[in-house]
Amino acid sequence: MKRILTIQDISCFGKCSTTIALPVLSAMGIETTVLPTAILSTHTMFPDYIKMDLTDTILSFAKQWKDNGAAFDAIYTGYLGTVKDIELVMNVIDLFRDKDTLLFVDPVFGDHGRAYAGISEDYGAHCSELCRAADYAVPNITEACLMTGMEYKEKYDESYISELAQRVCAMGAANAIVTGVSYSGGTIGYQGMSRKSGQAFSYQNKKIDISYHGTGDLFSAAAAGALVCGKRPELAFRIAADYTAETIRVTKEDSDDPRFGIHFESSIPNLLEMMGKA
Ligand code: PXL
């Protein structure tokens, strides 16, 4: 059985990061080890969230696993929240990564042109160090701009996104996939680039005009899972995009408070069908 280590926070209510990654990866048939960097009452978009730092346990948990023979086919990092935690996570990666370990980095620190609440000024620079080592770095436009120093634009064309992907590859990432790319009001998707071949790939879906928190985390979890299951990159990211789009569609049908997150549980059968596992 394939085994993945995912390193991100546990936000107890509101569905994001680990509370999405663990069920999705498990449903894909991948043994999933979680390394929580912090436990929060909710993610940081809710007011008055409470955060319990787990900074002191990050490396000691990992060392105890290593001492007991743990090994991983892939490491997938998401929201980490502090520069200190990024540094510790880089140590964890050094502990477990060998030439066959896939490193999937979703930088997760901002959106709509700004860093999330509680993210420090120097976070982007440290996150680019993490992306430098990645087989797949998957920033949204905001994160890619904050890491590469490019100006954030609300309206853009394909050459602007290509330049962003190229700059993320130039940092060192083997593949850069810029997410949340919408060239027209009607579609949304991603644009990727491989550093080695220079080959670009992109995909757009019909845009549903509502935005939910956690969709980026869902996309990354599904893409990382599909890659670990051996899907070729273009297909892995397309499956992730289609699963995310279907999840947004089913979530919109429900009248729940949109802040409570996406109903990814309802669309897991669609994901398994796309993976050929239904
Ligand atoms: O979904 C991204 C995310 C994950 N974890 C925490 C967050 C956010 C985005 O705001 O605050 C704690």
Side-chain angles (χ1 to χ4, degrees):
M1 183 175 254
K2 295 283 187 185
R3 190 183 299 130
I4 190 167
L5 167 62
T6 186
I7 314 177
Q8 36 191 335
D9 66 285
I10 296 180
S11 287
C12 298
F13 181 78
K15 289 193 271 188
C16 65
S17 41
T18 302
T19 61
I20 288 180
L22 177 59
V24 167
L25 291 164
S26 297
M28 293 173 97
I30 303 163
E31 182 186 333
T32 305
T33 300
V34 300
L35 182 51
T37 52
I39 300 185
L40 293 91
S41 52
T42 64
H43 57 67
T44 59
M45 308 282 255
F46 282 90
D48 308 321
Y49 66 87
I50 299 151
K51 182 177 180 191
M52 200 173 111
D53 259 317
L54 295 176
T55 305
D56 292 344
T57 53
I58 293 175
L59 204 50
S60 51
F61 277 29
K63 282 184 175 154
Q64 192 242 354
W65 296 336
K66 184 79 183 177
D67 290 346
N68 283 283
F72 302 100
D73 299 291
I75 301 174
Y76 154 39
T77 69
Y79 179 96
L80 303 174
T82 67
V83 167
K84 175 78 190 156
D85 286 1
I86 296 178
E87 279 164 4
L88 289 166
V89 166
M90 284 168 43
N91 292 334
V92 173
I93 291 166
D94 286 345
L95 204 57
F96 287 109
R97 194 177 191 195
D98 65 25
K99 63 175 182 30
D100 299 320
T101 317
L102 181 132
L103 178 60
F104 188 105
V105 175
D106 183 349
V108 195
F109 66 97
D111 210 353
H112 307 294
R114 291 211 315 257
Y116 292 134
I119 296 290
S120 63
E121 277 282 313
D122 55 346
Y123 192 90
H126 285 80
C127 222
S128 50
E129 287 297 311
L130 187 57
C131 287
R132 181 188 305 277
D135 294 300
Y136 295 90
V138 186
N140 62 25
I141 298 173
T142 299
E143 292 150 356
C145 285
L146 291 171
M147 287 193 296
T148 61
M150 248 173 92
E151 184 198 350
Y152 175 78
K153 290 185 181 169
E154 291 280 345
K155 292 244 173 297
Y156 44 78
D157 57 15
E158 240 178 286
S159 68
Y160 170 78
I161 301 293
S162 288
E163 165 90 31
L164 266 181
Q166 265 169 35
R167 287 201 192 190
V168 176
C169 279
M171 281 169 10
N175 296 275
I177 293 86
V178 181
T179 62
V181 172
S182 178
Y183 295 117
S184 75
T187 67
I188 188 156
Y190 59 80
Q191 188 164 323
M193 194 192 133
S194 152
R195 178 160 55 90
K196 207 169 177 184
S197 66
Q199 196 198 335
F201 54 97
S202 72
Y203 186 62
Q204 292 279 308
N205 255 321
K206 188 167 166 280
K207 185 172 179 180
I208 302 172
D209 231 358
I210 184 159
S211 96
Y212 292 104
H213 199 87
T215 48
D217 298 342
L218 186 71
F219 175 79
S220 284
L227 288 166
V228 169
C229 290
K231 300 287 182 212
R232 60 185 169 80
E234 284 97 317
L235 181 58
F237 285 98
R238 196 171 349 129
I239 288 172
D242 287 345
Y243 171 48
T244 306
E246 175 60 12
T247 301
I248 294 171
R249 194 190 65 73
V250 296
T251 306
K252 200 182 170 195
E253 281 176 2
D254 200 307
S255 57
D256 225 1
D257 185 330
R259 294 179 312 155
F260 293 178
I262 37 174
H263 296 344
F264 70 88
E265 302 89 339
S266 309
S267 45
I268 281 179
N270 301 74
L271 172 63
L272 299 190
E273 197 175 314
M274 292 175 216
M275 290 289 297
K277 288 193 173 183

